[in-house]
Amino acid sequence: MNGASDMLALVVDSVTPLTPAIKAFVLRSANGEPLPPFAPGAHLGVQVVQANGHPGQRAYSLAKPHDGSDRCEIAVLCEPQGAGGSAWMHALQPGTALAAHAPRNDFALHAGSAPPLLIAGGIGITPLLCMARSLAAEARPFDFVYATRSEEATAYLHEVRALGGTVVHDGGDPSRGIDLRALLAAPMPGRHLHVCGPRGMVQAVVDTARALGWPDDHVHFELFAGAIEQAGDAPFEVRTLRSGKTLTVAPDQSLLDVLIAAGLDPLYDCRQGDCGVCVVDVVEGVPDHRDHNLSPREKADGKTLCTCVSRAKTPHLVLDI
Ligand code: FES
């Protein structure tokens, strides 16, 4: 689980615009030591400052496989409607110090006995590019499809094409994008599907794969961090039953961050609604579930919620913590 002990002191080494809205950042360790090893699909939990001055954390996938050096690369989409973390990242200059949790991997590559299928949407390219680079370096076959709005909005276009990937531009209309039924038509033993991108695209890929017979344990997905925030989020109040606190969660804060800032010591791990480590019991109020861990039955029951991503449909929640 995350904690202060896994924090890395980093320095921005270089900043490269990839598109009008996406920048690549090469980060290096501040002490020159090699970075901890990581596998394709891993991300850094970068500590950012949001527009309201509150600290926050953003998960940025690593775009290149670990090479034993003191450097790594991430890419960041600036989201003007977000809480300000990505805009803060975009303002960084070479030489700026950064703190980040050591790489974690909640989206591991499953090479299997058949060529893996990699599907990326938008900024979701970063972990899949890392996987493709790793597979290519090992001369292992794979299939790689990447959907973006337009050529101008496509980060790493030449890199993906050089790896044999297919790039599809949908003009902002997913129905003109990847033909999922054709792409996923033939699941086969040992072939694993990996998808990362916006929520709607990931959901469409996962739903289509299930409908076409892909086993759940052969379908692996990750949402990029910004996909968790939704327009129109309202503040809500939380009372913690056992620790006796009453807290307010602002629209640009996660419940988990508010609990931590209040001095509680909640369990958490992925911060993306995947692992279930942060699940707590709900005593009063109606959760607004945004995780991928709880079952549809558990979500309908409303007796638990993931503090890292979920919010409230009611003005107040009472939690058994
Ligand atoms: S920390 Fe993993 S689901 Fe919340």
Side-chain angles (χ1 to χ4, degrees):
M1 271 164 274
N2 284 317
S5 60
D6 76 343
M7 293 302 285
L8 300 175
L10 302 170
V11 175
V12 178
D13 192 71
S14 65
V15 183
T16 307
L18 300 178
T19 75
I22 299 174
K23 289 182 177 178
F25 295 81
V26 173
L27 309 176
R28 58 181 160 82
S29 63
N31 62 8
E33 295 286 319
L35 291 173
F38 58 85
H43 65 265
L44 281 180
V46 178
Q47 309 294 292
V48 301
V49 179
Q50 302 177 123
N52 60 6
H54 292 158
Q57 176 171 295
R58 297 293 181 273
Y60 294 121
S61 295
L62 292 147
K64 288 184 175 171
H66 184 58
D67 60 3
S69 77
D70 62 343
R71 274 144 221 264
C72 64
E73 181 174 321
I74 59 174
V76 178
L77 169 69
C78 189
E79 298 178 273
Q81 308 307 322
S86 62
W88 183 85
M89 287 293 299
H90 268 233
L92 294 179
Q93 299 294 323
T96 309
L98 269 186
H101 287 286
R104 287 194 41 80
N105 200 334
D106 303 311
F107 185 44
L109 171 61
H110 296 258
S113 56
L117 174 55
L118 313 177
I119 305 177
I123 192 61
I125 185 62
T126 44
L128 297 161
L129 180 60
C130 192
M131 291 179 187
R133 284 168 156 161
S134 174
L135 290 161
E138 296 175 9
R140 301 186 69 155
F142 59 92
D143 296 302
F144 192 8
V145 183
Y146 176 25
T148 67
R149 181 177 291 262
S150 64
E151 182 158 327
E152 186 193 38
T154 305
Y156 298 113
L157 175 64
H158 302 298
E159 289 86 344
V160 172
R161 286 191 172 143
L163 288 160
T166 300
V167 183
V168 177
H169 304 307
D170 64 13
D173 176 1
S175 69
R176 291 169 48 204
I178 302 169
D179 182 346
L180 292 178
R181 293 198 72 81
L183 182 63
L184 302 171
M188 67 178 88
R191 181 160 159 92
H192 287 255
L193 163 63
H194 309 72
V195 56
C196 182
R199 179 183 298 274
M201 177 207 176
V202 170
Q203 196 67 56
V205 171
V206 171
D207 289 349
T208 305
R210 283 184 178 143
L212 294 174
W214 287 72
D216 278 352
D217 62 0
H218 283 47
V219 177
H220 314 279
F221 61 90
E222 189 165 74
L223 299 168
F224 64 83
I228 289 166
E229 292 170 11
Q230 292 179 9
D233 280 345
F236 61 98
E237 191 175 80
V238 172
R239 187 155 62 84
T240 60
L241 201 60
R242 281 185 275 148
S243 42
K245 293 185 184 287
T246 300
L247 308 165
T248 300
V249 183
D252 62 353
Q253 290 178 297
S254 74
L255 170 54
L256 175 63
D257 282 336
V258 169
L259 297 175
I260 293 170
L264 279 74
D265 190 21
L267 292 174
Y268 65 94
D269 195 345
C270 71
R271 280 183 171 266
Q272 296 190 102
D274 291 333
C275 70
V277 169
C278 68
V279 170
V280 299
D281 290 337
V282 177
V283 180
E284 281 179 36
V286 179
D288 180 0
H289 296 290
R290 299 184 184 182
D291 65 278
H292 300 278
N293 179 271
L294 298 177
S295 68
R297 164 69 67 87
E298 288 171 321
K299 288 180 179 176
D301 285 349
K303 295 196 164 50
T304 52
L305 104 171
C306 290
T307 62
C308 65
V309 292
S310 294
R311 300 184 64 83
K313 289 182 176 171
T314 45
H316 308 277
L317 284 182
V318 180
L319 304 178
D320 187 20
I321 53 176

